[in-house]
Amino acid sequence: MVTSFSGTEWSLANDPQPGVQDKSRKGSFIPSFGDALYRRYHVPIGIASVGHGSTSVRQWLPADTPVHVMPTMTRYVRTDAAGTLVSDGKLFEGMMLRIHQLGVHGFRALLWHQGESDSHQPAEHDIDAVTYRSIMVTIIHASRKQAGRDFRWFVAQATYHTPEDPSCPPIRDAQRSLWQPDLAIEGPDTDTLISPYRQNGGKGTHFNDAGLKAHGLLWADRCRNTSTRFCVNPSIKTRGQNALSHQLRRGEPCLVRVIHGYLTDTT
């Protein structure tokens, strides 16, 4: 009852997730997330993952958008003819390809979990909260413009690195500032998943098996708690059942767009 879309076909949503842009063969929060939604609504759940691990928000900008500070991972950023750093647009285009493949009203919301690679970076690669927010606004508006509709975004808080560096308050504030009616809906706070949920005996950044499962439950809780805003058609009223359940029964799939989540072999 939980399936993933690779861009060419649907299959059971077992890890590794098909269609991700980093070709990851590791684990994700998707099975836990999908199972939790199915347990709640008892209707088919559809997911399309187009994420890429370890990426900065800068690398998700549309093609030729200026990038004033090079991210730590330099892929997806190039120098144009004028010598300016710009995004090459590949990640944004990969995301938009899946959106167009699913079609108008073909998914309910886009889930954004990213931020670690923009938190407490070396000085030569660091950006401030104002820049982070500005880039996110650009990506959200550009995605909606190209899709031709104002589909919903959920934005998580995600800045955790290690037990010694458990969060980046300025970037968290920037993520939280996006929770506005015309921009995004509040996603989960995965910085709360500390050492017991992290690899390398709790010393790592990436989630262990327990962390990925908990991560999926956090996302499911956020989607359940905002179900009336999560539905595609706001004209549907909640009369005896919530709007999300009503629309899921119509077979409309979800789009889950994941940045960090393919991080362990154990799920």
Side-chain angles (χ1 to χ4, degrees), residues 28-29 32-33 207-218 266-267:
S28 77
F29 70 77
S32 173
F33 168 72
F207 293 116
N208 59 21
D209 182 66
L212 291 177
K213 291 175 180 176
H215 186 179
L217 294 178
L218 288 178
T266 57
T267 299

Side-chain angles (χ1 to χ4, degrees), residues 140-211:
I140 292 170
H141 285 328
S143 69
R144 288 170 172 165
K145 181 178 180 180
Q146 289 198 20
R149 67 187 181 95
D150 290 340
F151 60 84
R152 287 158 175 79
W153 276 67
F154 280 72
V155 174
Q157 291 197 287
T159 65
Y160 184 96
H161 283 155
T162 65
E164 294 72 36
D165 182 15
S167 71
C168 181
I171 299 300
R172 285 175 56 83
D173 288 344
Q175 292 165 338
R176 186 165 52 246
S177 75
L178 297 166
W179 302 340
Q180 299 178 14
D182 62 334
L183 283 176
I185 301 169
E186 179 181 350
D189 183 353
T190 58
D191 288 348
T192 61
L193 299 177
I194 54 176
S195 293
Y197 300 99
R198 305 286 172 162
Q199 287 185 328
N200 300 329
K203 298 179 180 180
T205 298
H206 297 164
F207 293 116
N208 59 21
D209 182 66

Side-chain angles (χ1 to χ4, degrees), residues 1 4 8 12 39 65 90 108 145 155 245 261:
M1 301 304 291
S4 292
T8 58
L12 288 177
R39 285 193 297 269
T65 305
K90 290 182 179 179
R108 185 162 288 98
K145 181 178 180 180
V155 174
S245 178

